[in-house]
Amino acid sequence: AQSVTQLGSHVSVSEGALVLLRCNYSSSVPPYLFWYVQYPNQGLQLLLKYTSAATLVKGINGFEAEFKKSETSFHLTKPSAHMSDAAEYFCAVSEGYGGATNKLIFGTGTLLAVQP
Amino acid sequence: EADIYQTPRYLVIGTGKKITLECSQTMGHDKMYWYQQDPGMELHLIHYSYGVNSTEKGDLSSESTVSRIRTEHFPLTLESARPSHTSQYLCASSEGTVYGYTFGSGTRLTVV
């Protein structure tokens, strides 16, 4: 069965510093992987996704993530944090081979705080 | 503009009331989902549908029910609301897993 682990429920960085949010997955089949962002009192917005093409995926707002099969990781990074990046971030993995069950399994989320 | 809409955004109701949370999407997606989001922000799948007249219960037991009479509409109903139902409810739709989900803005429900 697939699962997702997000290390660190709270991460705090200074404005301009590197953002690194960690996500490890467990899957016996090639996964589809996603990062979503949630601002207060909003739904989730897709940041980027990996669907078996390029292993380095670029998303919106300057974020990117690298799929590393050997480490079963899909960490999210941004070179320079902005105050507007403060939000909750969720990693998700597809369930079933090729996403066959049409369901995503979400991690427990990481709350990113950006200090001025 | 193609989108997914949830109404109301905020709702405060008394215990025992019947409520329906609305979710509509204009993207023609067959697959739709309801999630309950705890104050700690974790997401729990409570219902999903893969097409008209198809509904399934999710991983988290819920006293709510859903219906899917039209492709674009996936309402969630609580027959008798209780304080334990206080939560945020998120609706999502999808064209297929490879595309990910599109989420609505959510309904924050408070039962007093």
Side-chain angles (χ1 to χ4, degrees), chain A residues 36 38 41 99 101-102 104, chain B residues 9 31 33 37 50 97 101:
Chain A
Y36 284 86
Q38 184 179 32
N41 297 316
T101 70
N102 293 303
L104 297 182
Chain B
R9 287 294 312 277
K31 303 162 188 60
Y33 310 82
Q37 187 171 31
Y50 292 158
T97 308
Y101 293 174

Side-chain angles (χ1 to χ4, degrees), chain A residues 60-82:
Chain A
I60 62 172
N61 301 337
F63 284 94
E64 63 181 36
E66 186 172 8
F67 171 68
K68 292 187 176 181
K69 183 178 179 180
S70 61
E71 299 177 8
T72 61
S73 68
F74 191 57
H75 302 331
L76 182 70
T77 61
K78 182 174 180 177
S80 177
H82 192 271

Side-chain angles (χ1 to χ4, degrees), chain A residues 1-3 25-33 50 52 67 69 72 93-101 105:
Chain A
Q2 286 87 346
S3 65
Y25 68 92
S26 171
S27 178
S28 58
V29 299
Y32 300 144
L33 293 158
Y50 166 78
S52 75
F67 171 68
K69 183 178 179 180
T72 61
V93 65
S94 56
E95 184 183 78
Y97 188 87
T101 70
I105 299 167

Side-chain angles (χ1 to χ4, degrees), chain B residues 15-72:
Chain B
T15 298
K17 299 291 186 183
K18 177 181 178 179
I19 58 167
T20 295
L21 308 184
E22 301 288 348
C23 177
S24 294
Q25 49 98 1
T26 59
M27 296 169 284
H29 291 168
D30 286 329
K31 303 162 188 60
M32 297 190 73
Y33 310 82
W34 275 104
Y35 283 85
Q36 185 173 339
Q37 187 171 31
D38 299 337
M41 308 299 271
E42 188 171 352
L43 292 159
H44 299 285
L45 180 66
I46 52 175
H47 296 284
Y48 59 99
S49 167
Y50 292 158
V52 171
N53 295 325
S54 157
T55 62
E56 301 286 345
K57 289 186 179 295
D59 306 319
L60 180 69
S61 176
S62 173
E63 295 164 345
S64 58
T65 59
V66 292
S67 62
R68 189 87 183 277
I69 298 172
R70 304 197 314 266
T71 297
E72 63 271 22

